[in-house]
Amino acid sequence: MGLRKLWQYRSIVKEAWDQTMAVATLLCGLHVTNTYLCTLGLAYGPSMLPTFNLTGDLFLADRLSTMFGKVGRGDVVLVRSPENPRKLLAKRLLGMQGDSVTYVVDPKNSDRSETVVVPKGHVWIEGDNIYASRDSRQYGPVPYGLVEGKIFWKIWPPKEFGSLGQSRMKDPDL
Amino acid sequence: MGLVNFMRQWRSGAKEALERTAIVAKFLCLLHVTNTYLCSPTLVYGPSMLPTLNLTGDVLLAEHLSPRLGKVGSGDVVLVRSPVDPRKMLTKRVVGMEGDRVTFFVDPLHTDRCQSAVVPKGHVWIQGDNMYASSDSRHFGPVPYGLIQGKVFLRVWPPYGFGLLEQ
């Protein structure tokens, strides 16, 4: 009598196990895609206006480009913050190692610009909205190892669905 | 008739091959996940961590949970991605966390001159135990915490050095 009950439990346990394994496999697949292929992200804040809205845009970032070193000037990249390792930033890459970058130090208060050479293994990132962005102008060039992905596609809001614009136009009068 | 038989055999053979490949793939996946998120063995070599680590190569076990949980502190030997060459991994000791003031010998081979620096927010100061032959934060400055990949906790090879590393 007890043996039959045990047998019934066995089939339920097996079915539960199979379904758990199926869910686990799906989550694994999602995680692998997220970490090594392509990831979804939400960008909010004023530092990348007008490319990204203040209230939040959904974007897709690919991980392969950074793994193979295929990011360059003008790309919007997903980078881990050098000031807070738990934060990810979306900024535009303006200088690779060896480049000489000229930037306006504090555009709200003065026109003073400075030039700096990006050291080996580092990149220079800036937000598109230089009036409200905390970036390499404040904390210096960022090691390439912190660049985690290249943002290539915006998926929300729907009217802005599509690839991002290329390098921002530099004002020739500056 | 012969064609149908052939197709049937080929299909069952392909199915079995696929199943075996799936098992191998799952095993490799598990190995990779363990390596990336739990614990992984690493071969380290070079003079910069003498006498703690040998010149010719030691196999160390590093765990990857501590950096994610923020449990890395002063005195830990860590695996960190080089800020100078993102393809290279360095093994150094964390000497100062954010906010600490570190005092270091600038160039111990030639001079006794000391310098002092405060580690900025979100960064760590790493130094090799062998300061005469180590390229570390004394040369490239404090390193962002986000570059730390793992914390070394055990030496596995050579056998006479098996065990925890000195503090």
Side-chain angles (χ1 to χ4, degrees), chain A residues 31 35-36 67 69 80 82-86 97 120-122 143-146, chain B residues 32 36-37 68-70 81 83-87 121-123 144-147:
Chain A
H31 174 82
T35 316
Y36 297 106
M67 268 195 245
R80 193 158 288 279
E83 298 183 312
N84 182 358
R86 294 180 204 268
Q97 66 186 17
K120 187 169 175 304
H122 287 66
Y144 185 87
L146 290 178
Chain B
H32 173 82
T36 316
Y37 297 106
R68 275 174 209 270
L69 302 173
R81 194 164 289 281
V84 172
D85 183 1
R87 294 174 211 270
K121 187 173 175 304
H123 288 65
Y145 186 95
L147 288 179

PDB file of all heavy atoms in Angstrom, chain A residues 31 35-36 67 69 80 82-86 97 120-122 143-146, chain B residues 32 36-37 68-70 81 83-87 121-123 144-147:
ATOM      1  N   HIS A  31      20.635  33.787 -20.033  1.00  0.00           N
ATOM      2  CA  HIS A  31      21.783  34.394 -19.375  1.00  0.00           C
ATOM      3  C   HIS A  31      22.999  34.404 -20.277  1.00  0.00           C
ATOM      4  O   HIS A  31      23.747  35.383 -20.332  1.00  0.00           O
ATOM      5  CB  HIS A  31      22.080  33.632 -18.084  1.00  0.00           C
ATOM      6  CG  HIS A  31      23.322  34.084 -17.425  1.00  0.00           C
ATOM      7  ND1 HIS A  31      23.369  35.186 -16.610  1.00  0.00           N
ATOM      8  CD2 HIS A  31      24.584  33.616 -17.484  1.00  0.00           C
ATOM      9  CE1 HIS A  31      24.592  35.365 -16.191  1.00  0.00           C
ATOM     10  NE2 HIS A  31      25.358  34.414 -16.700  1.00  0.00           N
ATOM     11  N   THR A  35      24.999  37.665 -21.544  1.00  0.00           N
ATOM     12  CA  THR A  35      26.372  37.948 -21.145  1.00  0.00           C
ATOM     13  C   THR A  35      27.337  37.937 -22.315  1.00  0.00           C
ATOM     14  O   THR A  35      28.328  38.644 -22.294  1.00  0.00           O
ATOM     15  CB  THR A  35      26.831  36.898 -20.126  1.00  0.00           C
ATOM     16  OG1 THR A  35      25.806  36.687 -19.198  1.00  0.00           O
ATOM     17  CG2 THR A  35      28.092  37.349 -19.423  1.00  0.00           C
ATOM     18  N   TYR A  36      27.058  37.129 -23.331  1.00  0.00           N
ATOM     19  CA  TYR A  36      28.058  36.993 -24.387  1.00  0.00           C
ATOM     20  C   TYR A  36      27.603  37.479 -25.737  1.00  0.00           C
ATOM     21  O   TYR A  36      28.424  37.668 -26.624  1.00  0.00           O
ATOM     22  CB  TYR A  36      28.489  35.528 -24.501  1.00  0.00           C
ATOM     23  CG  TYR A  36      29.155  35.065 -23.239  1.00  0.00           C
ATOM     24  CD1 TYR A  36      28.509  34.217 -22.369  1.00  0.00           C
ATOM     25  CD2 TYR A  36      30.425  35.507 -22.908  1.00  0.00           C
ATOM     26  CE1 TYR A  36      29.108  33.809 -21.200  1.00  0.00           C
ATOM     27  CE2 TYR A  36      31.033  35.111 -21.746  1.00  0.00           C
ATOM     28  CZ  TYR A  36      30.376  34.259 -20.895  1.00  0.00           C
ATOM     29  OH  TYR A  36      30.978  33.863 -19.740  1.00  0.00           O
ATOM     30  N   MET A  67      34.411  42.420 -26.960  1.00  0.00           N
ATOM     31  CA  MET A  67      35.310  41.275 -26.786  1.00  0.00           C
ATOM     32  C   MET A  67      36.362  41.228 -27.857  1.00  0.00           C
ATOM     33  O   MET A  67      37.499  40.827 -27.609  1.00  0.00           O
ATOM     34  CB  MET A  67      34.502  39.979 -26.839  1.00  0.00           C
ATOM     35  CG  MET A  67      34.049  39.513 -25.495  1.00  0.00           C
ATOM     36  SD  MET A  67      33.508  37.830 -25.580  1.00  0.00           S
ATOM     37  CE  MET A  67      31.807  38.040 -25.197  1.00  0.00           C
ATOM     38  N   GLY A  69      37.357  43.871 -29.615  1.00  0.00           N
ATOM     39  CA  GLY A  69      38.029  45.146 -29.800  1.00  0.00           C
ATOM     40  C   GLY A  69      37.498  45.952 -30.956  1.00  0.00           C
ATOM     41  O   GLY A  69      38.208  46.753 -31.535  1.00  0.00           O
ATOM     42  N   ARG A  80      31.078  50.233 -17.279  1.00  0.00           N
ATOM     43  CA  ARG A  80      30.915  50.181 -15.824  1.00  0.00           C
ATOM     44  C   ARG A  80      31.561  51.427 -15.231  1.00  0.00           C
ATOM     45  O   ARG A  80      32.654  51.815 -15.613  1.00  0.00           O
ATOM     46  CB  ARG A  80      31.594  48.915 -15.293  1.00  0.00           C
ATOM     47  CG  ARG A  80      31.234  48.611 -13.877  1.00  0.00           C
ATOM     48  CD  ARG A  80      31.462  47.145 -13.536  1.00  0.00           C
ATOM     49  NE  ARG A  80      30.506  46.265 -14.153  1.00  0.00           N
ATOM     50  CZ  ARG A  80      29.273  46.028 -13.710  1.00  0.00           C
ATOM     51  NH1 ARG A  80      28.855  46.640 -12.634  1.00  0.00           N
ATOM     52  NH2 ARG A  80      28.485  45.189 -14.332  1.00  0.00           N
ATOM     53  N   PRO A  82      33.666  53.944 -13.200  1.00  0.00           N
ATOM     54  CA  PRO A  82      34.872  53.849 -12.385  1.00  0.00           C
ATOM     55  C   PRO A  82      34.677  54.410 -10.974  1.00  0.00           C
ATOM     56  O   PRO A  82      35.515  54.210 -10.109  1.00  0.00           O
ATOM     57  CB  PRO A  82      35.898  54.686 -13.159  1.00  0.00           C
ATOM     58  CG  PRO A  82      35.107  55.584 -14.016  1.00  0.00           C
ATOM     59  CD  PRO A  82      33.809  54.911 -14.286  1.00  0.00           C
ATOM     60  N   GLU A  83      33.553  55.107 -10.761  1.00  0.00           N
ATOM     61  CA  GLU A  83      33.322  55.663  -9.429  1.00  0.00           C
ATOM     62  C   GLU A  83      32.442  54.768  -8.581  1.00  0.00           C
ATOM     63  O   GLU A  83      32.494  54.812  -7.364  1.00  0.00           O
ATOM     64  CB  GLU A  83      32.655  57.031  -9.555  1.00  0.00           C
ATOM     65  CG  GLU A  83      33.513  58.029 -10.277  1.00  0.00           C
ATOM     66  CD  GLU A  83      32.865  59.384 -10.319  1.00  0.00           C
ATOM     67  OE1 GLU A  83      31.673  59.450 -10.664  1.00  0.00           O
ATOM     68  OE2 GLU A  83      33.539  60.357 -10.009  1.00  0.00           O
ATOM     69  N   ASN A  84      31.610  53.962  -9.225  1.00  0.00           N
ATOM     70  CA  ASN A  84      30.724  53.080  -8.479  1.00  0.00           C
ATOM     71  C   ASN A  84      30.571  51.790  -9.261  1.00  0.00           C
ATOM     72  O   ASN A  84      29.814  51.738 -10.235  1.00  0.00           O
ATOM     73  CB  ASN A  84      29.361  53.748  -8.283  1.00  0.00           C
ATOM     74  CG  ASN A  84      28.424  52.877  -7.474  1.00  0.00           C
ATOM     75  OD1 ASN A  84      28.764  51.764  -7.090  1.00  0.00           O
ATOM     76  ND2 ASN A  84      27.237  53.388  -7.224  1.00  0.00           N
ATOM     77  N   PRO A  85      31.292  50.735  -8.861  1.00  0.00           N
ATOM     78  CA  PRO A  85      31.320  49.522  -9.694  1.00  0.00           C
ATOM     79  C   PRO A  85      29.968  48.843  -9.850  1.00  0.00           C
ATOM     80  O   PRO A  85      29.830  47.950 -10.670  1.00  0.00           O
ATOM     81  CB  PRO A  85      32.309  48.616  -8.955  1.00  0.00           C
ATOM     82  CG  PRO A  85      32.441  49.170  -7.596  1.00  0.00           C
ATOM     83  CD  PRO A  85      32.165  50.619  -7.683  1.00  0.00           C
ATOM     84  N   ARG A  86      28.962  49.273  -9.099  1.00  0.00           N
ATOM     85  CA  ARG A  86      27.652  48.648  -9.278  1.00  0.00           C
ATOM     86  C   ARG A  86      26.810  49.367 -10.328  1.00  0.00           C
ATOM     87  O   ARG A  86      25.715  48.940 -10.643  1.00  0.00           O
ATOM     88  CB  ARG A  86      26.887  48.663  -7.956  1.00  0.00           C
ATOM     89  CG  ARG A  86      27.533  47.790  -6.911  1.00  0.00           C
ATOM     90  CD  ARG A  86      26.740  47.832  -5.615  1.00  0.00           C
ATOM     91  NE  ARG A  86      27.583  47.507  -4.485  1.00  0.00           N
ATOM     92  CZ  ARG A  86      27.730  46.271  -4.008  1.00  0.00           C
ATOM     93  NH1 ARG A  86      27.107  45.269  -4.575  1.00  0.00           N
ATOM     94  NH2 ARG A  86      28.516  46.050  -2.987  1.00  0.00           N
ATOM     95  N   GLN A  97      42.928  54.771 -27.321  1.00  0.00           N
ATOM     96  CA  GLN A  97      44.261  54.978 -26.762  1.00  0.00           C
ATOM     97  C   GLN A  97      45.151  55.671 -27.784  1.00  0.00           C
ATOM     98  O   GLN A  97      45.122  55.355 -28.964  1.00  0.00           O
ATOM     99  CB  GLN A  97      44.882  53.653 -26.336  1.00  0.00           C
ATOM    100  CG  GLN A  97      45.183  52.720 -27.481  1.00  0.00           C
ATOM    101  CD  GLN A  97      45.651  51.365 -26.987  1.00  0.00           C
ATOM    102  OE1 GLN A  97      45.455  51.019 -25.836  1.00  0.00           O
ATOM    103  NE2 GLN A  97      46.277  50.625 -27.856  1.00  0.00           N
ATOM    104  N   LYS A 120      47.565  54.371 -22.933  1.00  0.00           N
ATOM    105  CA  LYS A 120      47.430  53.018 -23.474  1.00  0.00           C
ATOM    106  C   LYS A 120      46.415  52.225 -22.659  1.00  0.00           C
ATOM    107  O   LYS A 120      46.408  52.269 -21.441  1.00  0.00           O
ATOM    108  CB  LYS A 120      48.810  52.354 -23.422  1.00  0.00           C
ATOM    109  CG  LYS A 120      48.906  51.010 -24.101  1.00  0.00           C
ATOM    110  CD  LYS A 120      50.362  50.588 -24.205  1.00  0.00           C
ATOM    111  CE  LYS A 120      50.496  49.195 -24.779  1.00  0.00           C
ATOM    112  NZ  LYS A 120      49.749  48.170 -24.045  1.00  0.00           N
ATOM    113  N   GLY A 121      45.569  51.490 -23.347  1.00  0.00           N
ATOM    114  CA  GLY A 121      44.608  50.649 -22.642  1.00  0.00           C
ATOM    115  C   GLY A 121      43.393  51.394 -22.123  1.00  0.00           C
ATOM    116  O   GLY A 121      42.554  50.810 -21.436  1.00  0.00           O
ATOM    117  N   HIS A 122      43.271  52.671 -22.421  1.00  0.00           N
ATOM    118  CA  HIS A 122      42.147  53.465 -21.906  1.00  0.00           C
ATOM    119  C   HIS A 122      41.323  54.045 -23.046  1.00  0.00           C
ATOM    120  O   HIS A 122      41.741  54.068 -24.197  1.00  0.00           O
ATOM    121  CB  HIS A 122      42.669  54.628 -21.053  1.00  0.00           C
ATOM    122  CG  HIS A 122      43.201  54.199 -19.725  1.00  0.00           C
ATOM    123  ND1 HIS A 122      44.328  53.415 -19.597  1.00  0.00           N
ATOM    124  CD2 HIS A 122      42.764  54.422 -18.474  1.00  0.00           C
ATOM    125  CE1 HIS A 122      44.560  53.200 -18.315  1.00  0.00           C
ATOM    126  NE2 HIS A 122      43.632  53.798 -17.603  1.00  0.00           N
ATOM    127  N   PRO A 143      39.710  52.745 -18.175  1.00  0.00           N
ATOM    128  CA  PRO A 143      40.350  51.554 -18.758  1.00  0.00           C
ATOM    129  C   PRO A 143      39.388  50.799 -19.664  1.00  0.00           C
ATOM    130  O   PRO A 143      38.203  50.662 -19.356  1.00  0.00           O
ATOM    131  CB  PRO A 143      40.709  50.699 -17.536  1.00  0.00           C
ATOM    132  CG  PRO A 143      40.701  51.616 -16.386  1.00  0.00           C
ATOM    133  CD  PRO A 143      39.730  52.700 -16.696  1.00  0.00           C
ATOM    134  N   TYR A 144      39.911  50.295 -20.794  1.00  0.00           N
ATOM    135  CA  TYR A 144      39.062  49.599 -21.755  1.00  0.00           C
ATOM    136  C   TYR A 144      38.373  48.393 -21.124  1.00  0.00           C
ATOM    137  O   TYR A 144      37.297  48.009 -21.539  1.00  0.00           O
ATOM    138  CB  TYR A 144      39.904  49.149 -22.946  1.00  0.00           C
ATOM    139  CG  TYR A 144      39.102  48.523 -24.049  1.00  0.00           C
ATOM    140  CD1 TYR A 144      38.535  49.302 -25.050  1.00  0.00           C
ATOM    141  CD2 TYR A 144      38.895  47.145 -24.086  1.00  0.00           C
ATOM    142  CE1 TYR A 144      37.781  48.727 -26.057  1.00  0.00           C
ATOM    143  CE2 TYR A 144      38.144  46.576 -25.102  1.00  0.00           C
ATOM    144  CZ  TYR A 144      37.599  47.369 -26.084  1.00  0.00           C
ATOM    145  OH  TYR A 144      36.846  46.790 -27.085  1.00  0.00           O
ATOM    146  N   GLY A 145      38.993  47.797 -20.106  1.00  0.00           N
ATOM    147  CA  GLY A 145      38.405  46.621 -19.463  1.00  0.00           C
ATOM    148  C   GLY A 145      37.044  46.896 -18.836  1.00  0.00           C
ATOM    149  O   GLY A 145      36.294  45.968 -18.548  1.00  0.00           O
ATOM    150  N   LEU A 146      36.708  48.169 -18.628  1.00  0.00           N
ATOM    151  CA  LEU A 146      35.411  48.488 -18.042  1.00  0.00           C
ATOM    152  C   LEU A 146      34.317  48.620 -19.095  1.00  0.00           C
ATOM    153  O   LEU A 146      33.145  48.709 -18.748  1.00  0.00           O
ATOM    154  CB  LEU A 146      35.485  49.799 -17.249  1.00  0.00           C
ATOM    155  CG  LEU A 146      36.289  49.768 -15.951  1.00  0.00           C
ATOM    156  CD1 LEU A 146      36.294  51.142 -15.316  1.00  0.00           C
ATOM    157  CD2 LEU A 146      35.694  48.774 -14.978  1.00  0.00           C
TER     158      LEU A 146
ATOM    159  N   HIS B  32      32.136  26.056 -17.617  1.00  0.00           N
ATOM    160  CA  HIS B  32      32.328  27.473 -17.872  1.00  0.00           C
ATOM    161  C   HIS B  32      31.640  28.329 -16.820  1.00  0.00           C
ATOM    162  O   HIS B  32      32.187  29.328 -16.352  1.00  0.00           O
ATOM    163  CB  HIS B  32      31.798  27.812 -19.262  1.00  0.00           C
ATOM    164  CG  HIS B  32      31.814  29.264 -19.534  1.00  0.00           C
ATOM    165  ND1 HIS B  32      32.937  29.941 -19.947  1.00  0.00           N
ATOM    166  CD2 HIS B  32      30.855  30.197 -19.418  1.00  0.00           C
ATOM    167  CE1 HIS B  32      32.657  31.207 -20.078  1.00  0.00           C
ATOM    168  NE2 HIS B  32      31.402  31.404 -19.770  1.00  0.00           N
ATOM    169  N   THR B  36      33.445  30.936 -14.314  1.00  0.00           N
ATOM    170  CA  THR B  36      33.217  32.377 -14.393  1.00  0.00           C
ATOM    171  C   THR B  36      32.591  32.930 -13.136  1.00  0.00           C
ATOM    172  O   THR B  36      32.851  34.066 -12.765  1.00  0.00           O
ATOM    173  CB  THR B  36      32.287  32.684 -15.573  1.00  0.00           C
ATOM    174  OG1 THR B  36      32.699  31.938 -16.688  1.00  0.00           O
ATOM    175  CG2 THR B  36      32.312  34.159 -15.895  1.00  0.00           C
ATOM    176  N   TYR B  37      31.734  32.157 -12.484  1.00  0.00           N
ATOM    177  CA  TYR B  37      30.987  32.740 -11.370  1.00  0.00           C
ATOM    178  C   TYR B  37      31.349  32.183 -10.016  1.00  0.00           C
ATOM    179  O   TYR B  37      31.019  32.777  -9.011  1.00  0.00           O
ATOM    180  CB  TYR B  37      29.482  32.540 -11.602  1.00  0.00           C
ATOM    181  CG  TYR B  37      29.011  33.262 -12.821  1.00  0.00           C
ATOM    182  CD1 TYR B  37      28.696  32.567 -13.982  1.00  0.00           C
ATOM    183  CD2 TYR B  37      28.909  34.645 -12.839  1.00  0.00           C
ATOM    184  CE1 TYR B  37      28.283  33.234 -15.109  1.00  0.00           C
ATOM    185  CE2 TYR B  37      28.500  35.319 -13.957  1.00  0.00           C
ATOM    186  CZ  TYR B  37      28.187  34.607 -15.097  1.00  0.00           C
ATOM    187  OH  TYR B  37      27.791  35.269 -16.210  1.00  0.00           O
ATOM    188  N   ARG B  68      31.985  40.482  -6.626  1.00  0.00           N
ATOM    189  CA  ARG B  68      30.609  40.883  -6.890  1.00  0.00           C
ATOM    190  C   ARG B  68      29.901  41.326  -5.620  1.00  0.00           C
ATOM    191  O   ARG B  68      29.042  42.198  -5.642  1.00  0.00           O
ATOM    192  CB  ARG B  68      29.823  39.709  -7.469  1.00  0.00           C
ATOM    193  CG  ARG B  68      29.957  39.573  -8.940  1.00  0.00           C
ATOM    194  CD  ARG B  68      29.271  38.319  -9.381  1.00  0.00           C
ATOM    195  NE  ARG B  68      29.908  37.815 -10.570  1.00  0.00           N
ATOM    196  CZ  ARG B  68      29.533  38.159 -11.802  1.00  0.00           C
ATOM    197  NH1 ARG B  68      28.530  38.972 -11.975  1.00  0.00           N
ATOM    198  NH2 ARG B  68      30.172  37.669 -12.852  1.00  0.00           N
ATOM    199  N   LEU B  69      30.244  40.688  -4.494  1.00  0.00           N
ATOM    200  CA  LEU B  69      29.564  41.013  -3.248  1.00  0.00           C
ATOM    201  C   LEU B  69      30.280  42.124  -2.493  1.00  0.00           C
ATOM    202  O   LEU B  69      29.889  42.460  -1.386  1.00  0.00           O
ATOM    203  CB  LEU B  69      29.497  39.768  -2.359  1.00  0.00           C
ATOM    204  CG  LEU B  69      28.790  38.560  -2.958  1.00  0.00           C
ATOM    205  CD1 LEU B  69      28.945  37.353  -2.062  1.00  0.00           C
ATOM    206  CD2 LEU B  69      27.313  38.855  -3.137  1.00  0.00           C
ATOM    207  N   GLY B  70      31.343  42.647  -3.077  1.00  0.00           N
ATOM    208  CA  GLY B  70      32.042  43.743  -2.416  1.00  0.00           C
ATOM    209  C   GLY B  70      32.880  43.301  -1.243  1.00  0.00           C
ATOM    210  O   GLY B  70      33.181  44.084  -0.353  1.00  0.00           O
ATOM    211  N   ARG B  81      41.999  42.802 -14.166  1.00  0.00           N
ATOM    212  CA  ARG B  81      42.283  43.062 -15.576  1.00  0.00           C
ATOM    213  C   ARG B  81      43.179  44.290 -15.669  1.00  0.00           C
ATOM    214  O   ARG B  81      42.942  45.291 -15.016  1.00  0.00           O
ATOM    215  CB  ARG B  81      40.962  43.306 -16.302  1.00  0.00           C
ATOM    216  CG  ARG B  81      41.070  43.253 -17.796  1.00  0.00           C
ATOM    217  CD  ARG B  81      39.693  43.118 -18.433  1.00  0.00           C
ATOM    218  NE  ARG B  81      39.100  41.829 -18.235  1.00  0.00           N
ATOM    219  CZ  ARG B  81      39.402  40.739 -18.924  1.00  0.00           C
ATOM    220  NH1 ARG B  81      40.295  40.807 -19.876  1.00  0.00           N
ATOM    221  NH2 ARG B  81      38.819  39.602 -18.671  1.00  0.00           N
ATOM    222  N   PRO B  83      44.753  47.704 -16.489  1.00  0.00           N
ATOM    223  CA  PRO B  83      44.238  48.934 -17.095  1.00  0.00           C
ATOM    224  C   PRO B  83      45.075  49.394 -18.279  1.00  0.00           C
ATOM    225  O   PRO B  83      44.640  50.249 -19.042  1.00  0.00           O
ATOM    226  CB  PRO B  83      44.324  49.957 -15.952  1.00  0.00           C
ATOM    227  CG  PRO B  83      45.341  49.414 -15.032  1.00  0.00           C
ATOM    228  CD  PRO B  83      45.341  47.944 -15.176  1.00  0.00           C
ATOM    229  N   VAL B  84      46.248  48.800 -18.424  1.00  0.00           N
ATOM    230  CA  VAL B  84      47.128  49.203 -19.514  1.00  0.00           C
ATOM    231  C   VAL B  84      46.910  48.314 -20.741  1.00  0.00           C
ATOM    232  O   VAL B  84      47.037  48.761 -21.869  1.00  0.00           O
ATOM    233  CB  VAL B  84      48.594  49.140 -19.024  1.00  0.00           C
ATOM    234  CG1 VAL B  84      49.541  49.364 -20.148  1.00  0.00           C
ATOM    235  CG2 VAL B  84      48.817  50.158 -17.935  1.00  0.00           C
ATOM    236  N   ASP B  85      46.571  47.050 -20.520  1.00  0.00           N
ATOM    237  CA  ASP B  85      46.337  46.129 -21.620  1.00  0.00           C
ATOM    238  C   ASP B  85      45.146  45.255 -21.264  1.00  0.00           C
ATOM    239  O   ASP B  85      45.283  44.298 -20.511  1.00  0.00           O
ATOM    240  CB  ASP B  85      47.581  45.258 -21.846  1.00  0.00           C
ATOM    241  CG  ASP B  85      47.412  44.320 -23.024  1.00  0.00           C
ATOM    242  OD1 ASP B  85      46.342  44.364 -23.668  1.00  0.00           O
ATOM    243  OD2 ASP B  85      48.347  43.548 -23.316  1.00  0.00           O
ATOM    244  N   PRO B  86      43.957  45.577 -21.823  1.00  0.00           N
ATOM    245  CA  PRO B  86      42.749  44.873 -21.371  1.00  0.00           C
ATOM    246  C   PRO B  86      42.735  43.376 -21.644  1.00  0.00           C
ATOM    247  O   PRO B  86      41.884  42.671 -21.143  1.00  0.00           O
ATOM    248  CB  PRO B  86      41.627  45.572 -22.155  1.00  0.00           C
ATOM    249  CG  PRO B  86      42.291  46.303 -23.252  1.00  0.00           C
ATOM    250  CD  PRO B  86      43.654  46.612 -22.818  1.00  0.00           C
ATOM    251  N   ARG B  87      43.696  42.874 -22.411  1.00  0.00           N
ATOM    252  CA  ARG B  87      43.728  41.432 -22.644  1.00  0.00           C
ATOM    253  C   ARG B  87      44.531  40.693 -21.579  1.00  0.00           C
ATOM    254  O   ARG B  87      44.568  39.481 -21.558  1.00  0.00           O
ATOM    255  CB  ARG B  87      44.353  41.144 -24.010  1.00  0.00           C
ATOM    256  CG  ARG B  87      43.512  41.643 -25.162  1.00  0.00           C
ATOM    257  CD  ARG B  87      44.256  41.449 -26.474  1.00  0.00           C
ATOM    258  NE  ARG B  87      43.906  42.467 -27.427  1.00  0.00           N
ATOM    259  CZ  ARG B  87      42.905  42.368 -28.301  1.00  0.00           C
ATOM    260  NH1 ARG B  87      42.155  41.284 -28.320  1.00  0.00           N
ATOM    261  NH2 ARG B  87      42.644  43.354 -29.125  1.00  0.00           N
ATOM    262  N   LYS B 121      37.238  57.309  -4.851  1.00  0.00           N
ATOM    263  CA  LYS B 121      36.017  56.516  -4.706  1.00  0.00           C
ATOM    264  C   LYS B 121      35.909  55.525  -5.858  1.00  0.00           C
ATOM    265  O   LYS B 121      36.130  55.860  -7.006  1.00  0.00           O
ATOM    266  CB  LYS B 121      34.822  57.481  -4.699  1.00  0.00           C
ATOM    267  CG  LYS B 121      33.501  56.832  -4.382  1.00  0.00           C
ATOM    268  CD  LYS B 121      32.440  57.909  -4.223  1.00  0.00           C
ATOM    269  CE  LYS B 121      31.061  57.332  -4.023  1.00  0.00           C
ATOM    270  NZ  LYS B 121      30.621  56.423  -5.074  1.00  0.00           N
ATOM    271  N   GLY B 122      35.539  54.286  -5.525  1.00  0.00           N
ATOM    272  CA  GLY B 122      35.339  53.298  -6.576  1.00  0.00           C
ATOM    273  C   GLY B 122      36.622  52.665  -7.085  1.00  0.00           C
ATOM    274  O   GLY B 122      36.597  51.887  -8.029  1.00  0.00           O
ATOM    275  N   HIS B 123      37.770  52.985  -6.461  1.00  0.00           N
ATOM    276  CA  HIS B 123      39.048  52.450  -6.926  1.00  0.00           C
ATOM    277  C   HIS B 123      39.748  51.656  -5.830  1.00  0.00           C
ATOM    278  O   HIS B 123      39.378  51.731  -4.661  1.00  0.00           O
ATOM    279  CB  HIS B 123      39.973  53.598  -7.353  1.00  0.00           C
ATOM    280  CG  HIS B 123      39.553  54.258  -8.633  1.00  0.00           C
ATOM    281  ND1 HIS B 123      38.380  54.951  -8.769  1.00  0.00           N
ATOM    282  CD2 HIS B 123      40.156  54.317  -9.840  1.00  0.00           C
ATOM    283  CE1 HIS B 123      38.285  55.428  -9.991  1.00  0.00           C
ATOM    284  NE2 HIS B 123      39.344  55.060 -10.675  1.00  0.00           N
ATOM    285  N   PRO B 144      40.131  51.039 -11.068  1.00  0.00           N
ATOM    286  CA  PRO B 144      38.706  50.955 -10.719  1.00  0.00           C
ATOM    287  C   PRO B 144      38.336  49.568 -10.208  1.00  0.00           C
ATOM    288  O   PRO B 144      38.812  48.554 -10.716  1.00  0.00           O
ATOM    289  CB  PRO B 144      37.985  51.243 -12.047  1.00  0.00           C
ATOM    290  CG  PRO B 144      38.979  51.927 -12.901  1.00  0.00           C
ATOM    291  CD  PRO B 144      40.317  51.430 -12.480  1.00  0.00           C
ATOM    292  N   TYR B 145      37.481  49.540  -9.171  1.00  0.00           N
ATOM    293  CA  TYR B 145      37.084  48.277  -8.562  1.00  0.00           C
ATOM    294  C   TYR B 145      36.460  47.336  -9.584  1.00  0.00           C
ATOM    295  O   TYR B 145      36.569  46.121  -9.465  1.00  0.00           O
ATOM    296  CB  TYR B 145      36.082  48.564  -7.435  1.00  0.00           C
ATOM    297  CG  TYR B 145      35.691  47.370  -6.623  1.00  0.00           C
ATOM    298  CD1 TYR B 145      36.343  47.070  -5.446  1.00  0.00           C
ATOM    299  CD2 TYR B 145      34.654  46.533  -7.029  1.00  0.00           C
ATOM    300  CE1 TYR B 145      35.980  45.973  -4.692  1.00  0.00           C
ATOM    301  CE2 TYR B 145      34.291  45.435  -6.294  1.00  0.00           C
ATOM    302  CZ  TYR B 145      34.952  45.156  -5.106  1.00  0.00           C
ATOM    303  OH  TYR B 145      34.594  44.069  -4.366  1.00  0.00           O
ATOM    304  N   GLY B 146      35.810  47.905 -10.600  1.00  0.00           N
ATOM    305  CA  GLY B 146      35.131  47.084 -11.606  1.00  0.00           C
ATOM    306  C   GLY B 146      36.067  46.192 -12.394  1.00  0.00           C
ATOM    307  O   GLY B 146      35.619  45.261 -13.062  1.00  0.00           O
ATOM    308  N   LEU B 147      37.386  46.433 -12.325  1.00  0.00           N
ATOM    309  CA  LEU B 147      38.327  45.605 -13.073  1.00  0.00           C
ATOM    310  C   LEU B 147      38.744  44.357 -12.298  1.00  0.00           C
ATOM    311  O   LEU B 147      39.404  43.492 -12.865  1.00  0.00           O
ATOM    312  CB  LEU B 147      39.583  46.408 -13.436  1.00  0.00           C
ATOM    313  CG  LEU B 147      39.418  47.476 -14.515  1.00  0.00           C
ATOM    314  CD1 LEU B 147      40.725  48.205 -14.738  1.00  0.00           C
ATOM    315  CD2 LEU B 147      38.967  46.873 -15.820  1.00  0.00           C
TER     316      LEU B 147
END
